DNA sequence: ATTATGCTGTGGTCTGACCACATGGCCTGA
DNA sequence: TCAGGCCATGTGGTCAGACCACAGCATAAT
């Protein structure tokens, strides 16, 4: 067998190096980029897509599953206008899944999550404060303030409910700033460490005292924003966030750049936070679930 | 038929409201949270996982596909230690996919992406500058500076290569800050608007002039960081980023909070940026591809 | 000792078959 | 004519089974 087989198989089938599901994903992405698909549109039926792209239905479904988790589509069984896969483009759920899983898999350090939240939150209040001075009629922080009012139902709000309202308040501020990117990031960051936040409550010396302080700080932040004092708002929001985390012993030293032993991180109970637990406070569905 | 059928079907089959792939996803997430799975570990084989969880293999595959896109696992065919699904926990690829698709689907506004990048980048250089003053031996910005040196090969670097090096430089700064969350966010933000950045090059009055200015600004930023002047570094990085985007007419007014017509955004050619295009400059694989 | 060979287990893919479900038209009876 | 119920239809959700390509490894042949 000294002779090499020279019959080139090149003409037979130019094999696609991409895996089948990637073909589907890229096809849909191209349609999105070209504007052929916009939010509200229906994707073709799975079987249709499969035959059109020359792949199996299971490959189509793998791609759709990715799009669903990333928050790009919503799927529904049955028939009619609401059935099928519909473009929705809601990033928060995907951001939450991504961050929560990365934290779980140790791709993200919890302290980095908190630090990042600090950065974004400071940017949010800065933007809001500047927007407040820019317009004579003032800024409407109504949606956020309503959440603060809800928190004031003292005694009738459980700790978990309080923290959920707290998260919703901060998220509302981000949304009011008008930056959907930052808002979804905030949602994801908060979501990814929610179990840690909850687990830290028992470390608090006094819950009534802490919750009272938090409520007060919230009002102060709103005041600073409405006054248009960006610097003050930044400082207050920083103190607000770092205060809580230091009090629960999550962050040993607020700005320590060195990595430390992770002994202070709580050992989470299995299944404490799982993929489908979107509570009522989240305006956005996390991972779609039944 | 006035009598209601009271035979409770409760005992027959407590149907799981979750879809099968969510069961798999939550199972794996629980293993991650409990530390039973850590980076480097192998997931059970698909067929094994399917039978253990009582679902079909296709459902397992849908969950694995999600994990793969989110950057949690890497899959490989064949046998041996490198085959199968392995926990990797690399967030950048997933962040990039998420943001790019959300931009494509109009869930994210490009201007918000740029504004967010501004916020994060300012935080990065602030942290680096503060770290620089904190240690006597200074900060080692070597990895970032090397990229600047590569950009200085004037004339022998194409526009696309230059911009890729530029992106790598900013990403390197983020990574040097030690915050993996911000670093992956930066990677995603930049990746999601890469096609817009490239499409803006023809709008520049003079590429040699602009590229020269950018290189100079990069050096200035590094200088400010090494000097430990956080305020100066922030200002320079802000000017650096906004300067480029305004010059390419991407952002009409840097801080205009009002939404405007999207006419200035380039109409992207279909397939220009697709899911599997991770160039050599990215240390991290984006979406896995062949 | 070295090389060749085939076995084995992995992910990748497709096909076909069901199911549950929601809709909407049709048919029946009032 | 109208109201109600019924069923055909098309959708996603799921599963089982069958291949394939591939990488490693044990074994056999040289």
């Amino acid at each position: 067998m000294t002779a090499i087989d020279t019959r080139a198989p090149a003409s037979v089938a130019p094999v696609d190096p991409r895996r089948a599901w990637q073909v589907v994903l890229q096809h849909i992405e191209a349609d999105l980029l070209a504007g052929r698909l916009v939010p509200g549109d229906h994707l073709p039926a799975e079987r249709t897509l499969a035959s059109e792209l020359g792949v199996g239905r299971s490959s189509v479904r793998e791609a759709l599953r990715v799009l669903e988790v990333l928050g790009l589509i919503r799927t529904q069984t049955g028939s009619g206008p609401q059935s099928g896969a519909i473009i929705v483009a809601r990033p928060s759920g995907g951001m939450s899944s991504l961050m929560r899983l990365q934290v779980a898999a140790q791709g993200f350090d919890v302290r980095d999550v908190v630090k990042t939240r600090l950065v974004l939150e400071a940017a949010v209040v800065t933007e809001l404060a500047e927007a407040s001075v820019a317009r004579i009629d003032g800024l409407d922080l109504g949606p956020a303030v309503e959440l603060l009012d809800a928190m004031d139902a003292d005694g009738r709000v459980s700790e978990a409910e309080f923290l959920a309202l707290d998260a919703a308040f901060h998220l509302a501020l981000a949304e009011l700033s008008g930056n959907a990117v930052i808002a979804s990031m905030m949602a994801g960051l908060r979501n990814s460490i929610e179990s840690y936040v909850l687990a830290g409550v028992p470390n608090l010396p006094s819950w009534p005292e802490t919750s009272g302080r938090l409520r007060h700080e919230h009002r102060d932040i709103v005041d600073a924003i409405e006054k248009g004092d960006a610097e003050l708002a930044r400082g207050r929001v920083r103190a607000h966030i770092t205060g809580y985390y230091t009090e629960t012993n999550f962050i040993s030293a607020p700005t320590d750049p060195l990595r430390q032993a992770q002994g202070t991180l709580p050992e989470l109970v299995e299944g404490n936070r799982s993929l489908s637990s979107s509570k009522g406070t989240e305006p956005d569905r996390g991972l779609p679930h039944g």
Side-chain angles (χ1 to χ4, degrees), chain A residues 5-73:
Chain A
D5 185 359
T6 55
R7 291 170 306 179
S11 63
V12 278
V15 285
D16 197 328
R18 298 174 301 179
R19 288 186 274 170
W21 61 273
Q22 289 177 311
V23 173
V24 182
L25 216 42
Q26 292 181 14
H27 177 84
I28 295 173
E29 183 181 8
D31 279 353
L32 288 169
L33 275 175
R36 287 188 295 271
L37 282 177
V38 296
D41 283 357
H42 278 70
L43 251 53
E46 294 177 355
R47 295 165 176 84
T48 308
L49 216 40
S51 70
E52 283 179 353
L53 298 179
V55 300
R57 190 183 161 211
S58 50
S59 298
V60 171
R61 285 184 58 77
E62 289 181 21
L64 293 188
R65 205 58 52 231
V66 169
L67 292 176
E68 184 170 350
V69 171
L70 291 185
L72 263 95
I73 64 172

Side-chain angles (χ1 to χ4, degrees), chain A residues 184-240:
Chain A
S184 71
M185 282 179 174
M186 293 263 302
L189 290 171
R190 172 63 194 234
N191 196 293
S192 69
I193 56 171
E194 187 183 332
S195 55
Y196 294 78
V197 173
L198 276 173
V201 171
N203 297 349
L204 294 171
S206 161
W207 170 253
E209 187 177 330
T210 297
S211 65
R213 177 173 56 78
L214 294 178
R215 288 183 315 195
H216 193 72
E217 289 172 348
H218 287 153
R219 302 284 182 181
D220 285 346
I221 291 169
V222 170
D223 283 344
I225 290 173
E226 287 175 340
K227 263 194 293 184
D229 192 337
E231 182 63 35
L232 182 62
R234 253 199 311 275
R236 283 181 174 170
V237 85
R238 278 216 174 86
H240 171 65

Side-chain angles (χ1 to χ4, degrees), chain A residues 108-172:
Chain A
F108 282 163
D109 187 296
V110 179
R111 279 156 302 177
D112 285 346
V113 171
V114 174
K115 284 158 92 175
T116 306
R117 190 189 155 198
L118 214 51
V119 168
L120 294 180
E121 198 106 33
V124 164
V125 297
T126 301
E127 177 119 356
L128 286 174
E130 289 171 352
S132 181
V133 297
R135 55 186 73 184
I136 11 178
D137 56 343
L139 202 59
D140 183 19
L141 295 180
V145 175
E146 286 173 14
L147 294 164
L148 296 185
D149 295 338
M151 279 189 248
D152 281 341
D154 207 3
R156 293 176 297 139
V157 178
S158 73
E159 300 169 357
E161 288 168 346
F162 184 92
L163 290 174
L165 286 169
D166 179 288
F169 166 73
H170 289 278
L171 184 56

